[in-house]
Amino acid sequence: MQEFFTKMIEACESQKFSLNSALFAQLQSEGIRANFADLRADERGIYFGFSNGKFCKVMLYQARIQESTFRAKGDPFVHLCACEECLENLANPDFIATISLNLRFFLGIYSHKVQTKFFNDKPLNLCPKCAKTLAEHFKGDLRVFFGS
């Protein structure tokens, strides 16, 4: 399987197509499912790994949530650092790695495997631990967070 991806990266590079630029654009638009991303997290951020070995900071949120969970717990949180929920879901297909300064996201509500409702521009809050990290280390500013 790795050989397939290596050949795909080489083919993209030989055609003057920047895979890394395309991935970065995807992170800024719809995001990338956590199970398709190379994600690492520490106390100062969540990092997306590119094919050239470089990393950029991203945020992680649950884009698919069961209706019963949504009714019981409300909106999912957005994560910026290695909080407990983030670490548990770095490879969860229901979570999306993305870059967003306005904290507005796509959210699908499911009953079993059927989507019953969705929001295209849903405002979500940072998880309490991540909000504290943002305030303490990044002056509460997402631009500073992503720029560091």
Side-chain angles (χ1 to χ4, degrees):
M1 185 66 132
Q2 181 154 354
E3 184 178 324
F4 168 78
F5 287 113
T6 302
K7 287 182 181 180
M8 182 64 82
I9 291 167
E10 289 170 0
C12 289
E13 289 171 351
S14 70
Q15 298 296 319
K16 303 295 183 216
F17 173 79
S18 173
L19 179 60
N20 293 332
S21 293
L23 288 171
F24 188 71
Q26 183 70 26
L27 286 168
Q28 292 178 309
S29 58
E30 295 107 42
I32 298 173
R33 287 174 45 176
N35 64 326
F36 290 146
D38 176 16
L39 298 175
R40 297 189 176 114
D42 64 24
E43 64 281 346
R44 306 261 315 206
I46 303 168
Y47 305 90
F48 176 87
F50 291 99
S51 61
N52 62 1
K54 293 185 179 179
F55 286 86
C56 78
K57 280 189 176 179
V58 296
M59 49 184 53
L60 190 69
Y61 81 100
Q62 186 174 3
R64 294 174 47 116
I65 188 168
Q66 286 297 315
E67 190 171 17
S68 58
T69 305
F70 182 70
R71 274 195 246 125
K73 294 184 178 180
D75 293 340
F77 286 121
V78 178
H79 305 282
L80 300 176
C81 61
C83 63
E84 185 177 335
E85 186 175 0
C86 166
L87 293 174
E88 290 173 359
N89 293 292
L90 284 176
N92 186 328
D94 292 340
F95 279 69
I96 300 288
T98 190
I99 298 170
S100 172
L101 295 175
N102 65 5
L103 295 176
R104 299 179 79 82
F105 305 93
F106 172 84
L107 179 64
I109 312 298
Y110 288 79
S111 179
H112 303 287
K113 293 186 180 195
V114 177
Q115 184 171 319
T116 59
K117 182 184 310 187
F118 70 92
F119 303 94
N120 275 326
D121 203 25
K122 178 87 168 134
L124 298 177
N125 294 317
L126 294 175
C127 89
K129 182 176 193 278
C130 294
K132 183 178 178 184
T133 298
L134 185 67
E136 289 177 357
H137 299 286
F138 304 102
K139 303 176 188 171
D141 188 342
L142 284 173
R143 290 183 198 284
V144 174
F145 170 79
F146 284 117
S148 67

